[in-house]
């Protein structure tokens, strides 16, 4: 994907660390050389952050859904299993782990 040309003399945020700088050429995207090198070596830090946040949100949503599933009665769990067989299978395994884990602790 080709990046759009920048306006020389305008202020913008560095693609690597988000600091403000003044654009000197149409392809000048970093506040300093270290940022340019870091960006090309490690990729976009914002992309990494976004991926990391997305993963954490998914994990948290999964944990909440598992708690709701565990709180359902047998009939409602059966209906959930029909609607989401894959997820329910994972939740069943998690429930088993929780139960056997507690069993070992109390024994
Ligand atoms: Zn920078």
């Amino acid at each position: 994907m080709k990046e759009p040309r920048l306006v020389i003399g305008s202020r913008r945020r560095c693609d690597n660390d988000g600091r403000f700088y003044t654009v000197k050429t149409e392809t000048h995207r970093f506040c300093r050389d270290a940022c340019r090198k870091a960006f090309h070596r490690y990729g976009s830090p914002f992309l990494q952050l976004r991926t990391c946040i997305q993963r954490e949100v998914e994990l948290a949503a999964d944990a909440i859904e598992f708690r709701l599933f565990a709180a359902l009665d047998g009939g409602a769990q059966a209906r959930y299993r029909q609607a989401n067989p894959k997820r329910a299978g994972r939740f069943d395994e998690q429930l088993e782990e929780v139960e056997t884990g507690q069993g070992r602790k109390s024994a």
Side-chain angles (χ1 to χ4, degrees):
M1 191 183 85
K2 207 167 180 194
E3 299 278 340
R5 297 275 156 185
L6 303 174
V7 179
I8 295 169
S10 65
R11 299 267 293 160
R12 77 184 291 273
R13 286 187 182 272
C14 171
D15 281 357
N16 188 61
D17 62 7
R19 283 186 206 180
F20 275 111
Y21 72 98
T22 304
V23 175
K24 289 189 178 122
T25 70
E26 288 182 333
T27 56
H28 178 214
R29 301 183 179 282
F30 306 98
C31 67
R32 56 207 157 106
D33 207 42
C35 278
R36 183 182 61 77
K37 284 179 184 159
F39 189 91
H40 289 110
R41 189 168 298 151
Y42 305 114
S44 167
F46 298 110
L47 190 67
Q48 287 171 21
L49 182 64
R50 195 170 65 197
T51 310
C52 174
I53 289 171
Q54 272 174 347
R55 199 180 310 123
E56 288 194 10
V57 167
E58 277 165 21
L59 285 175
D62 256 15
I64 291 168
E65 199 165 336
F66 170 68
R67 278 204 200 146
L68 291 173
F69 177 80
L72 293 174
D73 63 42
Q77 276 189 356
R79 282 196 297 279
Y80 184 92
R81 274 189 200 98
Q82 273 190 333
N84 310 284
K86 259 191 192 168
R87 262 185 169 218
R90 219 163 3 107
F91 288 163
D92 281 334
E93 279 171 26
Q94 267 179 283
L95 267 181
E96 224 167 85
E97 274 170 38
V98 169
E99 278 159 19
T100 53
Q102 279 171 350
R104 258 180 241 132
K105 257 181 219 164
S106 60

